[in-house]
Amino acid sequence: MVSIASLLLSGFLTFVELNCENLFDCRHDSLKNDQEFLPTSARQWTPRRYWRKLDNIGRTIISCSTDTINYQLPDLVALVEVENDSVVNDLAKRSLLRHAGYEYIITSSPDVRGLDVALLYQPFSFQYLHHHSIRITPLEGMRPTRDILYVSGRVQSGDTLHVFVVHAPSRYGGEQQTRPYRQQVAHRLMQSVDSLRALSPDARILVAGDFNDYLSDVSLQYIEGNGLKNVSRHATGHHGAKGTYRFQGLWRSLDHIFTSPSLPADTCYVNDQPFLLEEDPKFGGVKPFRTFNGFRYRRGFSDHLPLVARLRLE
């Protein structure tokens, strides 16, 4: 096992972004539309399936180690599509990750299904300082969406790292019709980023999540055009994945990681370990091994693959 001292001298931080594909518990929240994930629902979301899902997500995170000798766990993990505090607590404290030492922060968003975003962090490499949720003002016709999570902490270089976790509105209802909703999230995000840069022009900023947009879309071009670099732009896997998501046989990425110029990335790739993949009988090749295919339970991991970035702190 690698020593804490060697970690603190390493000068790098490992960051993971992962869409968990509907990580719901089995209990009904009367204030949310979560009936789809209950034991009595069509999905038959039982405690047995829930705990298998937690261990699958834990196994996914463990496999994102960039140190294949010592298997050093990621320092930070941005989680998308998690239902609530109890789910993330079960993941961090009761799943395969229970001995990993992760602490976490999670939003409490007005999303109608109850979905939130969260950040797992290792306290010895990221010393938590502050967090708050950034509420998105809905446009006309736009359902309330997930808050952006902002977390700051001190890293081993002594600098403060500013982390934003994003889950933009989906394309359900049509890409063109929903495009302004994702632009609204991008504009609110950059307002907060610009406020940070006004106080500290060289602030170390990390933005990650599921933007539900591709590289050529306006929301991502807006973020890059305002001084953040998409370090996941060319990220691919080692076992056939050419992005984090596959739709009708086409690999692309809805998940992205952006950094400020003061936070360079040594590497960024898609973690496509073979156990996270399955054969794609319709289009050929492989695709993410997901939990559900429609309403058919598949026992898999997620419909998204994780992004892994190794960030340079010196």
Side-chain angles (χ1 to χ4, degrees), residues 81-296:
E81 287 197 11
V82 291
E83 185 183 13
N84 52 38
D85 182 276
S86 66
V87 164
V88 183
N89 185 74
D90 284 344
L91 176 65
K93 308 300 182 181
R94 303 179 67 192
S95 75
L96 290 178
L97 295 177
R98 60 188 176 274
H99 299 303
Y102 281 115
E103 300 296 336
Y104 66 90
I105 306 292
I106 185 170
T107 55
S108 181
S109 302
D111 177 79
V112 295
R113 296 180 66 218
L115 290 174
D116 283 298
V117 300
L119 183 73
L120 300 179
Y121 66 93
Q122 292 281 1
F124 59 78
S125 56
F126 182 85
Q127 298 175 16
Y128 165 82
L129 295 174
H130 170 77
H131 82 277
H132 64 261
S133 294
I134 301 169
R135 187 60 47 92
I136 308 299
T137 303
L139 301 175
E140 184 177 353
M142 176 182 174
R143 298 194 312 180
T145 191
R146 280 75 58 172
D147 292 349
I148 298 171
L149 175 61
Y150 165 76
V151 185
S152 64
R154 188 165 289 114
V155 293
Q156 56 229 41
S157 64
D159 295 316
T160 299
L161 177 63
H162 306 273
V163 182
F164 295 86
V165 185
V166 177
H167 186 193
S170 76
R171 296 178 166 221
Y172 183 78
E175 187 280 325
Q176 187 173 356
Q177 291 83 353
T178 58
R179 187 185 304 163
Y181 308 159
R182 291 182 292 281
Q183 291 176 295
Q184 177 78 341
V185 171
H187 282 96
R188 184 65 187 91
L189 167 69
M190 294 312 299
Q191 286 177 358
S192 295
V193 169
D194 287 342
S195 296
L196 272 177
R197 294 191 293 201
L199 295 173
S200 177
D202 295 324
R204 295 190 169 197
I205 299 170
L206 173 60
V207 176
D210 181 350
F211 291 79
N212 272 306
D213 267 338
Y214 302 116
L215 288 171
S216 59
D217 289 316
V218 175
S219 68
L220 298 189
Q221 291 181 351
Y222 174 76
I223 294 170
E224 283 201 278
N226 281 274
L228 295 182
K229 180 180 180 181
N230 190 336
V231 299
S232 57
R233 171 175 286 273
H234 302 294
T236 58
H238 300 98
H239 302 281
K242 296 178 175 62
T244 61
Y245 188 76
R246 198 175 198 218
F247 180 68
Q248 295 185 349
L250 181 64
W251 282 104
R252 299 178 77 180
S253 288
L254 298 169
D255 308 272
H256 306 275
I257 299 175
F258 297 87
T259 64
S260 59
S262 56
L263 187 64
D266 183 59
T267 186
C268 185
Y269 63 93
V270 177
N271 178 13
D272 63 342
Q273 295 284 343
F275 73 86
L276 296 174
L277 303 170
E278 65 174 345
E279 292 184 4
D280 189 336
K282 184 174 183 179
F283 296 101
V286 292
K287 62 182 180 178
F289 183 20
R290 57 192 299 167
T291 306
F292 281 94
N293 186 4
F295 280 81
R296 186 162 63 95

Side-chain angles (χ1 to χ4, degrees), residues 10-65:
S10 67
F12 292 95
L13 182 144
T14 302
F15 178 86
V16 170
E17 184 277 339
L18 174 62
N19 182 315
C20 299
E21 189 198 353
N22 294 315
L23 182 51
F24 281 85
D25 62 23
C26 305
R27 298 181 297 275
H28 176 47
D29 182 342
S30 61
L31 300 178
K32 299 295 182 180
N33 183 17
D34 63 354
Q35 291 90 339
E36 189 178 331
F37 285 89
L38 296 175
T40 55
S41 72
R43 293 190 185 275
Q44 300 178 35
W45 193 239
T46 60
R48 180 181 180 86
R49 291 183 174 185
Y50 169 66
W51 286 103
R52 179 183 289 121
K53 172 82 171 185
L54 286 173
D55 281 342
N56 281 352
I57 296 298
R59 186 180 173 195
T60 302
I61 292 169
I62 291 169
S63 75
C64 290
S65 169

